[in-house]
Amino acid sequence: MALVDTKKMFKAAYKEGFAVGAFNVNNMEITQGIIAAIAEEKAPLILQISRGAREYASMSYLRAIIDVAVAENPDIPIVMHLDHGDTFETCKQCVDDGFTSVMVDASHSSFEENIATTKKVVDYAHARGVVVEAELGQLGGIEEDVVGVHSDDVMKHLTDPDQVVEFVGKTGCDSLAIAIGTSHGAYKFKSEPKLAFDVIEEVGRKLPGYPLVMHGSSSVLKEFKDLINKYGGKMPDAMGVPEEAIGRAVKMAICKVNIDTDLRMALTAKIRQVFCETPGEFDPRKYLGPGREAIKKMVKHKLHVLGCAGKAAACL
Ligand SMILES: [Zn+2]
């Protein structure tokens, strides 16, 4: 099967109360870890590429790796998605490069400018059979060059459900990332966060069947945080979104959940462990291999949290 877009996935996800995991890829090992997990769990998959990933690995290498993943897993629907396209030009480039889904993030502009930029991307993408995710409201935290509001202020910048109706109507975007109190990065919160489930519910009432997206939704798993801190790392205050909250959101209108920090931490934790336990080791396969295995295990676990394990066939 060739790469697919998100339409059937989101339809099934909305109907059956699960969300598709959107995992960020930057190199071969991360991609292989994710792919091994979805192949075993028979889950639909969104592989997402940020502008930083395009710069780091180059699009041609990432595309070649993803092409192999697609060819080797004919029963699994896989989407290649641009994460946080900041301008029309970036989104256009990705549509031209064969992405099946792009995100345009003009959420830092005014409401009117956000509509105008998003609409321009939607017109270009839809004419070429590519779906578009947009963003309304402002998330907290920092991820690559995406700087959000201060984590103390996330609850003041939630998405307004009334604006969602107008925004989706005027832009025609296929899915929407909303601000419900989540935050990018590993230092999302100082205390146990509360997500604004009422916003999800309200949008669900106003736009029944419309797929919503949760960004900044890594959980900062204790297992990896502890390993990092034990083996010379310093992430004592890292805190993410509790998995129970994610499990609740995916039963509502949330159809896509973005996960990057948890991948980074799994890989980093294992590499640190190998370096500390066997300081003489210098074969990259001996530390990247365990890192890849940790990613696989972590992603398998996430697929169950999101409820999308076993749902590949439902998305075809
Ligand atoms: Zn994001």
Side-chain angles (χ1 to χ4, degrees):
M1 197 200 318
L3 286 167
V4 299
D5 66 33
T6 52
K7 281 183 195 159
K8 284 183 183 165
M9 283 183 188
F10 287 169
K11 211 171 171 183
Y14 201 101
K15 196 169 140 226
E16 298 189 26
F18 65 89
V20 183
F23 299 96
N24 284 74
V25 291
N26 290 285
N27 70 5
M28 182 185 79
E29 282 80 4
I30 294 171
T31 314
Q32 286 178 326
I34 297 165
I35 292 290
I38 60 115
E40 281 186 21
E41 297 291 339
K42 301 278 175 249
L45 174 67
I46 298 171
L47 287 174
Q48 53 185 20
I49 296 171
S50 66
R51 285 185 300 127
R54 284 171 65 96
E55 279 161 28
Y56 172 78
S58 99
M59 201 48 227
S60 46
Y61 275 86
L62 290 175
R63 179 63 205 251
I65 292 167
I66 291 172
D67 281 345
V68 174
V70 169
E72 288 186 348
N73 295 279
D75 303 333
I76 306 285
I78 299 176
V79 173
M80 185 165 77
H81 173 77
L82 167 67
D83 192 21
H84 288 286
D86 59 333
T87 60
F88 170 76
E89 284 68 32
T90 304
C91 296
K92 177 183 180 294
Q93 185 63 55
C94 289
V95 170
D96 295 345
D97 282 348
F99 282 62
T100 49
S101 173
V102 294
M103 178 196 189
V104 52
D105 178 5
S107 62
H108 298 278
S109 318
S110 68
F111 185 60
E112 287 72 26
E113 281 173 58
N114 191 354
I115 288 175
T117 308
T118 301
K119 174 83 169 72
K120 197 173 169 192
V121 172
V122 167
D123 287 345
Y124 187 83
H126 282 187
R128 289 152 186 86
V130 174
V131 293
V132 178
E133 173 187 329
E135 180 167 321
L136 188 61
Q138 283 186 31
L139 275 77
I142 300 174
E143 190 176 36
E144 291 187 349
D145 50 359
V146 180
V147 181
V149 295
H150 191 275
S151 59
D152 291 345
D153 295 332
V154 285
M155 296 312 274
K156 295 180 202 152
H157 295 265
L158 300 180
T159 302
D160 172 355
D162 284 322
Q163 283 196 337
V164 171
V165 179
E166 186 182 347
F167 187 88
V168 171
K170 286 186 170 165
T171 63
C173 60
D174 302 274
S175 62
L176 189 67
I178 56 167
I180 49 168
T182 63
S183 207
H184 286 120
Y187 301 92
K188 300 182 193 298
F189 314 104
K190 293 198 183 97
S191 57
E192 186 90 333
K194 287 194 176 64
L195 299 191
F197 291 106
D198 53 324
V199 172
I200 310 176
E201 230 165 46
E202 188 65 16
V203 174
R205 257 198 303 275
K206 288 176 189 290
L207 286 176
Y210 191 81
L212 300 177
V213 179
M214 262 172 89
H215 281 238
S217 298
S218 281
S219 299
V220 182
L221 297 162
K222 187 176 183 312
E223 174 191 355
F224 300 120
K225 180 175 144 180
D226 288 351
L227 277 180
I228 287 172
N229 289 327
K230 179 179 175 188
Y231 292 110
K234 274 203 183 108
M235 301 186 75
D237 303 322
M239 187 183 279
V241 182
E243 291 187 330
E244 308 79 67
I246 294 171
R248 192 175 152 196
V250 305
K251 292 197 178 64
M252 303 166 74
I254 298 294
C255 294
K256 170 174 178 269
V257 173
N258 286 12
I259 292 166
D260 189 7
T261 294
D262 285 336
L263 295 168
R264 297 177 181 199
M265 288 182 71
L267 184 62
T268 302
K270 280 296 161 183
I271 291 175
R272 278 197 173 279
Q273 184 176 14
V274 173
F275 282 173
C276 288
E277 286 179 349
T278 48
E281 188 56 70
F282 66 99
D283 179 346
R285 295 169 296 188
K286 297 286 168 52
Y287 51 86
L288 290 173
R292 178 174 62 188
E293 192 56 31
I295 284 176
K296 177 186 165 187
K297 232 181 95 193
M298 190 280 289
V299 171
K300 282 183 67 145
H301 163 73
K302 285 287 173 190
L303 299 174
H304 288 276
V305 172
L306 302 178
C308 66
K311 297 293 186 185
C315 300
L316 293 171

